[in-house]
Amino acid sequence: MDGPPQPGRIRAARDLRAMTQAEVVEAMVPRLSPAALSQIEAGKVRPSPTTLSELARVLQVPVGFFSAPWPGAVRPGATPPATYFRDLRATKVRQRRQATALALLLHDLLTAIEQYAQLPELDVPVRTVEGDPQPQDIEAAAFAVRRHWGLGLDPIPNVIRELERHGVPVARLTMGSRDVDAFTIRFARRPLVLLTDDKSNYVRSRFDAAHELGHLILHRGVPPGPKAVEDQAHYFAGAFLLPRAVAEDVLPRRLDTRGWSKLLQLKLEWGMSIGALLYRSRRLELLTDDAYRSAMRMMSTRGWRTSEPGDRELGRPEAAAMIERALRVAAIEAGRTTEDLICDAQLPLDDTLSLVQAASDRRPQVDF
């Protein structure tokens, strides 16, 4: 792709490989100094074609990756896109930067796809909460989304499909660490929801997807980072998956043997973990704080905080489909292979294919 290199993309490629400036220049022939690379990444010095080619070799990206246009809000000098990471204290800066660089690859891929195929229109109703919202405000926002999407008060068969059907691409990242949780990045054209496959659990993945939807609904223009913002998205997820009108009728108020059996039944029916159902009960004041703490101690004693009853029956997490299917359609329309389309977009082939494949259920489908 013609055009001058974009300094931010050089930094993004380095973030993709989780390399320091010193590690990059050490691998270059001829070498730069770390100070020279810093000047290039800051946009103060334009790299020579030789330097650019060497950076591409070391960082394993096409040279054209550096010259691709920046996606709207993340062009140099503009306000970066809002990225909602779950717990900033639990994730290292390098991990967050690498995850954001992977999201940039997906954004570029979607931009290439949309030259040949039309993705679902973005249809996410915004109910931005101001200041210190009350629980009823978030309950109302969650119910408004259900009503807008025609979900009624029934269990949601597939949360990821609902996001994709309404124009929100979903993908999974393999980060090799449990520290990086699901996150949302709000690019200018359309947001992306990134889940991780390091916690391969059906109910937790559904809750993660609903949590990230909460950011899209509640937090347009709200800076990410504060714990209160994450707490609001967490509350939204429970209210979206199990509406209050139903929850108050079905959640047990006593945690005797029958109450625990009821929680397992609800888990299988509504696709929520027992822990999430208990949290929902406490927030709706169906359980006292003491009863909730006692229940969580019991969960810990039985090892249910990591693996609950019913996990095996529910099976694998929901799989995304939009990106892979759209890529296939776009390739056919363009008269190219999917690999050709990725290379035409000046994206690193192996990384991009891994992202697409991780987002999809690779098991063969049995028709009957």
Side-chain angles (χ1 to χ4, degrees), residues 28 48-59 61 63 66:
M28 293 178 67
S48 69
T50 300
T51 296
L52 211 59
S53 295
E54 190 62 11
L55 284 170
R57 181 189 68 80
V58 171
L59 297 173
V61 298
V63 173
F66 298 134

Side-chain angles (χ1 to χ4, degrees), residues 198-233:
D198 301 303
K199 299 177 182 178
S200 184
N201 182 285
Y202 176 85
V203 289
R204 292 180 187 176
S205 179
R206 276 170 60 90
F207 198 91
D208 281 348
H211 177 108
E212 301 312 319
L213 174 62
H215 285 308
L216 298 180
I217 302 297
L218 303 175
H219 297 138
R220 178 172 294 180
V222 177
K227 183 177 182 299
V229 169
E230 292 302 318
D231 289 345
Q232 290 159 16

Side-chain angles (χ1 to χ4, degrees), residues 158-178:
N158 191 309
V159 176
I160 289 178
R161 286 292 187 278
E162 288 300 324
L163 286 168
E164 293 184 318
R165 191 163 67 89
H166 293 92
V168 180
V170 181
R172 290 190 184 277
L173 305 181
T174 300
M175 299 298 299
S177 170
R178 290 177 173 265

Side-chain angles (χ1 to χ4, degrees), residues 244-259:
R244 180 171 192 159
V246 179
E248 291 179 333
D249 284 341
V250 301
L251 286 171
R253 287 165 168 75
R254 294 183 58 188
L255 293 179
D256 51 15
T257 301
R258 178 180 293 183

